[in-house]
């Protein structure tokens, strides 16, 4: 019998350089390190907020993220307001982050939800979005969800 209600727990990401990824996710995105290992061949870090595990980083990849293989498409983080999205964008603009689009964009033409789309040091596509506040902004593509194809 299947569980009655599943929710997403933490997300695990393979990274090429744990130090570089730790710097990005802690300094740039504000995650807290909840546990880690630097044992040769078994480097990893557990990241979260307020004691809740949200993300694990595993140094076990030899190359960056590829969009042409099965697996993770993108990782999305939700905040409450579009103002929080804009504050995150301002902080990210001070770093060498590669953005997919300029500014806050809606999830689709006419959608209220929207956010910013950018890449981590390994090229993994990330999103910070709010459920409302993007009304009136122009969608990058009218015929598909903004977070969909790249």
């Amino acid at each position: 019998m299947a569980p009655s209600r599943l929710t997403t727990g933490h997300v695990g990401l393979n990274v090429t350089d744990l130090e570089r990824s730790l710097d990005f996710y802690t300094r740039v995105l504000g995650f807290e390190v909840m546990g880690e290992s630097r044992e040769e061949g078994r480097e990893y870090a557990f990241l979260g907020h307020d004691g809740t595990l949200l993300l694990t980083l595993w140094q076990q990849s030899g190359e960056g993220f590829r969009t042409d293989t099965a697996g993770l498409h993108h990782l999305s983080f939700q905040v409450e307001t579009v103002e929080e999205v804009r504050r995150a964008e301002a902080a990210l603009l001070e770093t060498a982050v590669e953005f997919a689009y300029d500014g806050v964009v809606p999830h689709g033409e006419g959608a209220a939800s929207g956010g910013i789309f950018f890449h981590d040091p390994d090229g993994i596509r990330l999103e910070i979005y709010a459920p409302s506040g993007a009304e009136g902004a122009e969608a990058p593509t009218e015929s598909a969800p903004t977070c969909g194809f790249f």
Side-chain angles (χ1 to χ4, degrees):
M1 174 185 247
S4 61
R5 184 171 188 270
L6 294 176
T7 61
T8 302
H10 68 275
V11 174
L13 301 176
N14 284 338
V15 299
T16 59
D17 182 329
L18 184 62
E19 282 300 320
R20 181 179 68 170
S21 292
L22 264 175
D23 178 63
F24 176 81
Y25 284 97
T26 57
R27 184 179 55 82
V28 177
L29 294 181
F31 281 95
E32 303 161 1
V33 176
M34 299 177 67
E36 63 185 309
S37 169
R38 300 307 173 103
E39 180 185 337
E40 179 74 28
R42 300 187 63 77
E43 296 96 343
Y44 65 85
F46 295 160
L47 306 177
H49 284 296
D50 300 323
T52 300
L53 178 63
L54 298 171
L55 190 62
T56 59
L57 304 176
W58 306 92
Q59 183 173 305
Q60 57 187 14
S61 292
E63 61 183 73
F65 182 74
R66 292 183 45 187
T67 60
D68 64 343
T69 59
L72 179 74
H73 182 274
H74 74 283
L75 177 56
S76 176
F77 301 104
Q78 181 178 334
V79 294
E80 291 184 22
T81 68
V82 75
E83 288 76 23
E84 290 176 271
V85 174
R86 288 192 176 101
R87 283 196 298 272
E89 178 188 26
L92 289 165
L93 284 168
E94 295 178 10
T95 68
V97 168
E98 176 191 338
F99 283 86
Y101 311 108
D102 291 330
V104 174
V105 294
H107 280 128
E109 195 62 38
S113 63
I116 55 174
F117 298 83
F118 55 99
H119 299 88
D120 85 347
D122 282 307
I124 298 171
R125 190 168 190 172
L126 304 174
E127 168 188 10
I128 298 175
Y129 82 98
S132 63
E135 300 90 338
E138 188 176 321
T141 305
E142 292 182 25
S143 62
T146 300
C147 60
F149 296 96
F150 40 80

